[in-house]
Amino acid sequence: MKKILGLDLGTNSIGWALLDQNFAEKQGKIIGLGSRIIPMDQGTLSDFEKGISVSKTKERTEFRNVRRLRERHLLRRSRLHLVLNTIGFLPEHYSQYIDFDSHFGQFKDDCEPKLCQRYNFLFSLSGGFLLSCCSLVNDTRCGCF
């Protein structure tokens, strides 16, 4: 007699069965069985009834992926700041907002310059060439840099 444990792993439940199987006589019996259903809140249940099945693990994975992407972006930007500052290609009006002593290329607290939407648009129209955004439209009200 062999004991066999069967598992059924689903997205919201786990089922199990313990069998006692005799392969020579082709007989067996169930020793025990059961299931564990992972509870869902009311919002998840209503989404499930609509046909939208999103597990909690998927939501956590999505949040973790967003955090990782953001951290990678910030790390690439700080490394780019360090390299551009080292070779002298970082404009002075931009580098005054960056802390190269203690934070190694990150912006100083609450000093990150923001570009206006229309200047980002004008920059994309210029084909990616570095232009002074305020000199494009002679507007110093934009608050960039």
Side-chain angles (χ1 to χ4, degrees):
M1 301 283 276
K2 280 186 139 181
K3 293 195 187 303
I4 298 173
L5 176 64
L7 295 174
D8 178 24
L9 303 175
T11 57
N12 293 322
S13 64
I14 300 170
W16 63 273
L18 185 61
L19 306 173
D20 196 11
Q21 185 74 35
N22 187 347
F23 290 104
E25 298 176 8
K26 295 185 181 178
Q27 292 181 355
K29 65 177 184 173
I30 300 172
I31 298 173
L33 56 90
S35 67
R36 170 76 172 129
I37 298 174
I38 301 168
M40 293 188 291
D41 60 349
Q42 187 59 38
T44 308
L45 284 174
S46 64
D47 288 342
F48 186 75
E49 289 172 358
K50 294 176 188 173
I52 306 168
S53 61
V54 177
S55 65
K56 291 188 177 189
T57 56
K58 183 178 178 187
E59 291 177 6
R60 285 194 308 262
T61 303
E62 289 175 355
F63 286 128
R64 184 173 56 242
N65 287 339
V66 169
R67 280 194 313 268
R68 285 181 182 166
L69 284 175
R70 181 180 181 276
E71 289 299 319
R72 288 176 186 158
H73 167 73
L74 293 176
L75 185 62
R76 279 194 310 268
R77 185 175 70 178
S78 64
R79 287 179 180 169
L80 180 65
H81 286 159
L82 284 173
V83 169
L84 291 177
N85 187 50
T86 302
I87 61 177
F89 276 41
L90 201 60
E92 184 62 36
H93 67 278
Y94 188 79
S95 65
Q96 68 184 357
Y97 295 108
I98 301 172
D99 187 7
F100 292 106
D101 298 326
S102 60
H103 291 291
F104 305 111
Q106 295 178 4
F107 285 103
K108 296 176 183 174
D109 293 334
D110 300 327
C111 289
E112 184 172 354
K114 305 287 185 193
L115 290 176
C116 299
Q117 288 290 337
R118 64 182 169 163
Y119 297 122
N120 284 333
F121 176 71
L122 290 173
F123 180 73
S124 66
L125 285 180
S126 69
F129 295 105
L130 183 61
L131 299 172
S132 174
C133 64
C134 291
S135 66
L136 274 174
V137 290
N138 292 327
D139 187 7
T140 57
R141 296 175 293 124
C142 67
C144 59
F145 305 118

